[in-house]
Amino acid sequence: MLHWLTLMADSLPSLLWAALVFTVPLTLASFALGLVVGLAAAVVRLFGPAPLAAIVRFYVWIIRGTPLLVQLFLIFYGLPSAGIVLDAFPAALIGFTLNVGAYTSEIIRAVIGSVPKGQWEAAYSIGMSWSQAMRRTILPQAARVAVPPLSNSFISLVKDTSLAAAITVPELFQAAQRIVATSYEPLILYVEAALIYLALSSVLSALQVRLEKRLNQYGGFLEAKS
């Protein structure tokens, strides 16, 4: 038991460093870029020309219908066969961004579609253009509804980044694998890695609850004023 505790204490700095330098930046960058891709895809699906909307539907179908690990392998190990060679971190970033973009596009498409048509008409009635109505009226209302599912996607992404270890990104899980290779103690080290993921997810879940409460209070204030 004492040996395990000592091993956990000795390996903790390396695991936390890997999480700080690779896991957290990969999560934040992938989610931010994925949101941009998701918003663009959702807008095209709702308002774009039919040929472009069909391309976006195909992209979403492919991404949602195939495992994330397979997508990462195709980008990192498959693309070199076509002459496209990427380092591990950029490959992971592209893979996670495309994956997040496909899933968030469905969330964003649903919440934009849930905004009553009367909100569009009210915006147009005071002289707003389509882009102004979208930016000033529709998206702010849709954002409040989208926070819970998008927050869940973000928390899931934190855990999904462990798959980047399979394409040699030295993030938290691969750091644990490397220590296992020298210490021959897989049980305790994988438990330690799991506890770090659990701590990160718990913190984010608590922040999500607080954010939802703030948004609900703001939404209630707006409804009272209207």
Side-chain angles (χ1 to χ4, degrees):
M1 183 67 177
L2 181 60
H3 168 67
W4 281 4
L5 292 176
T6 302
L7 179 60
M8 290 182 71
D10 290 342
S11 60
L12 184 60
S14 297
L15 296 181
L16 291 178
W17 177 254
L20 181 64
V21 175
F22 291 100
T23 300
V24 172
L26 180 59
T27 301
L28 293 175
S30 298
F31 192 74
L33 294 173
L35 275 181
V36 174
V37 173
L39 177 60
V43 170
V44 169
R45 288 281 301 274
L46 289 170
F47 309 106
L52 198 55
I55 294 173
V56 171
R57 280 197 301 271
F58 180 75
Y59 151 67
V60 173
W61 174 66
I62 290 292
I63 296 297
R64 295 181 68 191
T66 56
L68 175 56
L69 184 59
V70 174
Q71 297 164 19
L72 292 174
F73 270 57
L74 283 172
I75 294 170
F76 186 66
Y77 295 113
L79 287 182
S81 299
I84 303 173
V85 179
L86 298 171
D87 290 336
F89 191 89
L93 180 61
I94 292 171
F96 286 120
T97 296
L98 292 175
N99 191 270
V100 170
Y103 282 94
T104 57
S105 72
E106 293 297 281
I107 296 172
I108 296 171
R109 183 171 67 91
V111 296
I112 290 178
S114 70
V115 176
K117 186 178 179 180
Q119 296 296 318
W120 286 99
E121 296 172 349
Y124 291 146
S125 69
I126 59 174
M128 288 188 185
S129 64
W130 181 91
S131 60
Q132 290 174 327
M134 175 66 75
R135 187 174 66 253
R136 298 178 183 178
T137 303
I138 305 305
L139 287 181
Q141 296 183 58
R144 184 162 63 95
V145 181
V147 163
L150 289 178
S151 298
N152 290 334
S153 296
F154 183 68
I155 294 171
S156 295
L157 179 61
V158 172
K159 296 173 287 184
D160 288 343
T161 55
S162 61
L163 294 174
I167 60 171
T168 73
V169 176
E171 46 71 62
L172 170 58
F173 188 65
Q174 195 187 69
Q177 289 179 314
R178 289 178 174 177
I179 299 173
V180 167
T182 57
S183 66
Y184 304 103
E185 293 285 359
L187 175 60
I188 192 64
L189 284 163
Y190 289 148
V191 166
E192 185 176 18
L195 290 174
I196 295 174
Y197 282 114
L198 180 61
L200 290 172
S201 299
S202 298
V203 170
L204 292 173
S205 296
L207 292 175
Q208 175 188 350
V209 170
R210 295 192 63 178
L211 179 59
E212 288 179 18
K213 287 181 179 179
R214 291 288 298 273
L215 289 173
N216 287 336
Q217 291 173 356
Y218 178 70
F221 172 74
L222 289 181
E223 291 172 1
K225 284 192 67 176
S226 60

